[in-house]
Amino acid sequence: MTAEPLSAEPLPADRTRTDPSPAAPAPAKRLTAVPPVEPASPGSPPSEPPATEPTAAEPVVTEPAPAARPRAGLAEALVARRNQLTRAAQWFAGTEGDPYGLLLRAGADDPARHEERVRERGPLYRSAPLDTWVTAHRAVAEQVLTDPAFDGTGPDGIPVGLDGLPLRSELLSLDRATAARLAPLTAFGGPLLWAREENCVAQRAATYARRLLEGCGEHFDLAEDFARRLPGPVLAEQFSLPDAAHEEFARVLPDCRHALDGLVCPQPYATARATRTAEATVAALLARHLSEAGGGAGADTARAAAVLAVSAAETTAVLIVDTVRRLRARTGAWERLTADPALAAEAVRETLRTAPPVRLETRTTRTETTLAGTELPAGARVAVLMAAAGRDPGAPAGAAPLGLAPDLHFALSAPLITSIAGAALRTLAETLPHLREAGEPVIRPRSPVLLAPARFPVAKRESTPCAS
């Protein structure tokens, strides 16, 4: 068994390796707590990382004195080290054979195998090395996603940046009360979206999808050249952004692609920093232009737009690619779709049911509660294996897909995700009926939540030879 390096040396955001290889020391038996950290060692983060947000122990100053700068740099180094140690705990949990640890390692193997191992261990399984309760059962999953006792993705009362995942997305670290307050702002025809119904969004998404496909050559990357480039312009138009902001928004939004995976799996330090910067850029751009357009839009409106955008963009891209891949893998399925493109919406729903783009959700208990006959204390971490729960053989016949959780960030973005993905699939079926794979797809490393494609090469025509 091999292990990931603990170095914070910057890595490209989309390295195409699927399983790390450098050797690591033998694991400890208990890895739930992050040990105290020491100042960064030579293999740790860059020597001059940017300053973090100030904490209560570090007062806000406009121009830090020279003596404060090393202190800020050390704080960032310690954040990076905490990120490393959390990833090491996940990696070694997998080394010990823990199925949840193996899922979080997100290597080259099929996650469904580890998800089924969790199901075999009962309705609620405790991952002892990671101090997390895990379920693959639909009834238990539904309770976690709807019971007020379960809330948020991180530890209660601990600011983002100080928990075990210090580089967790701030935009997506919201609780249910906040999501419930923001969700009405993102309704069709509401303060943010000019489209009054889903069909209008689908029509506009189809228009942008055709433009993108016209600009693609005979061979292109379905993930990078099409699926990730589609949500940005559609959302920018829905937010009524001016032309200049429209272009910047569509360019920066795909750089937030690691935010959802980063909620449970520490990303490489350079990747996490780049994601944090992209999120801040998207949020600032939306706040500025929504304020100008609305004569001073409130903070909730700007925040709702940013949460919707970041949670929808990569999820939509993954849903598009996964649906195409599944249809192409089943004999005659793609041909049936091209013969009747109106089947696109049903194909998207089937993917949400059996292989959703969000395979894993986490919640934290806010009070003592009982789950699957087990008493859980306040502060307990619970992981819902959404894909496995969707496949649960004990689920009622005809049960609705579990693919996008009804609370938190997807309470804001789920209708846009399904609408854009359905329009994209229908457009592909109408304009490229002979679409085919033109190379091996590659899954992005450290993507246990989305199992996101790093690349998915395709060709427009069956007769076109593969590019070398």
Side-chain angles (χ1 to χ4, degrees):
M1 183 64 68
T2 58
E4 266 189 347
L6 296 183
S7 170
E9 178 182 355
L11 296 175
D14 281 319
R15 284 181 66 176
T16 55
R17 65 177 175 84
T18 56
D19 202 21
S21 58
K29 287 295 180 184
R30 179 71 173 175
L31 297 167
T32 58
V34 175
V37 292
E38 300 294 336
S41 60
S44 288
S47 58
E48 294 182 2
T52 56
E53 290 292 324
T55 66
E58 298 177 59
V60 176
V61 290
T62 304
E63 289 292 335
R69 292 192 187 105
R71 184 181 177 189
L74 177 60
E76 184 73 1
L78 296 180
V79 164
R81 187 61 175 167
R82 255 197 326 274
N83 210 50
Q84 292 175 323
L85 293 171
T86 301
R87 181 58 178 168
Q90 295 176 352
W91 186 260
F92 291 139
T95 301
E96 292 181 337
D98 177 66
Y100 183 56
L102 288 166
L103 285 170
L104 294 183
R105 275 170 49 154
D109 48 350
D110 181 5
R113 180 163 60 95
H114 307 309
E115 292 166 350
E116 292 306 315
R117 287 182 57 201
V118 171
R119 191 195 312 281
E120 291 167 1
R121 299 186 183 199
L124 193 61
Y125 159 68
R126 183 170 181 267
S127 168
L130 298 175
D131 193 20
T132 301
W133 296 90
V134 192
T135 185
H137 285 241
R138 182 175 179 116
V140 181
E142 289 177 339
Q143 180 180 344
V144 173
L145 297 175
T146 57
D147 190 330
F150 301 89
D151 195 5
T153 57
D156 190 20
I158 300 180
V160 172
L162 297 181
D163 62 7
L165 288 163
L167 297 172
R168 184 197 305 270
S169 164
E170 293 194 40
L171 283 175
L172 302 186
S173 297
L174 71 168
D175 57 26
R176 283 180 175 166
T178 303
R181 188 179 77 247
L182 299 180
L185 299 173
T186 65
F188 292 117
L192 279 172
L193 307 180
W194 65 259
R196 295 193 173 276
E197 58 182 14
E198 184 175 352
N199 285 342
C200 183
V201 175
Q203 290 171 10
R204 297 304 300 157
T207 298
Y208 282 106
R210 289 189 190 94
R211 292 177 187 173
L212 285 173
L213 292 173
E214 288 169 1
C216 292
E218 286 298 312
H219 291 80
F220 65 99
D221 188 328
L222 186 68
E224 201 65 28
D225 298 331
F226 176 70
R228 287 194 175 100
R229 294 178 61 193
L230 179 59
V234 175
L235 293 175
E237 184 182 68
Q238 287 299 310
F239 294 150
S240 300
L241 297 182
D243 290 345
H246 184 128
E247 181 179 347
E248 182 184 3
F249 176 82
R251 175 175 53 82
V252 175
L253 186 59
D255 294 338
C256 300
R257 68 186 66 184
H258 300 274
L260 279 161
D261 283 307
L263 292 176
V264 299
C265 177
Q267 301 298 297
Y269 182 63
T271 300
R273 285 176 57 186
T275 302
R276 185 167 57 180
T277 299
E279 276 196 6
T281 301
V282 166
L285 183 152
L286 288 170
R288 181 171 68 253
H289 290 284
L290 290 173
S291 178
E292 292 172 355
D300 273 3
T301 303
R303 186 179 184 188
V307 171
L308 184 157
V310 172
S311 62
E314 184 69 358
T315 309
T316 303
V318 173
L319 180 55
I320 293 169
V321 174
D322 283 358
T323 305
V324 171
R325 178 182 58 81
R326 287 171 53 79
L327 290 171
R328 292 288 304 167
R330 297 204 307 267
T331 303
W334 180 256
E335 289 72 20
R336 285 192 293 273
L337 176 65
T338 58
D340 184 5
L343 296 174
E346 178 56 36
V348 168
R349 283 194 294 271
E350 178 63 15
T351 301
L352 285 170
R353 187 181 70 81
T354 57
V358 179
R359 304 183 67 89
L360 170 64
E361 290 274 1
T362 59
R363 298 293 183 269
T364 302
T365 56
R366 298 314 192 203
T367 60
E368 293 183 4
T369 190
T370 301
L371 183 64
T374 302
E375 296 292 330
L376 301 184
R381 291 188 294 273
V382 180
V384 176
L385 305 185
M386 301 290 284
R391 301 190 306 265
D392 189 348
L402 260 185
L404 298 173
D407 61 346
L408 303 186
H409 34 271
F410 292 126
L412 283 69
S413 59
L416 269 293
I417 292 169
T418 55
S419 179
I420 297 172
L425 187 64
R426 179 167 186 157
T427 304
L428 284 166
E430 290 172 344
T431 60
L432 299 179
H434 302 296
L435 184 78
R436 66 174 177 85
E437 296 85 345
E440 284 295 320
V442 175
I443 299 300
R444 188 169 68 215
R446 300 202 198 191
S447 184
V449 173
L450 297 170
L451 213 65
R455 69 168 185 256
F456 192 89
V458 294
K460 290 185 175 181
R461 294 178 175 83
E462 290 285 355
S463 59
T464 304
C466 264
S468 57

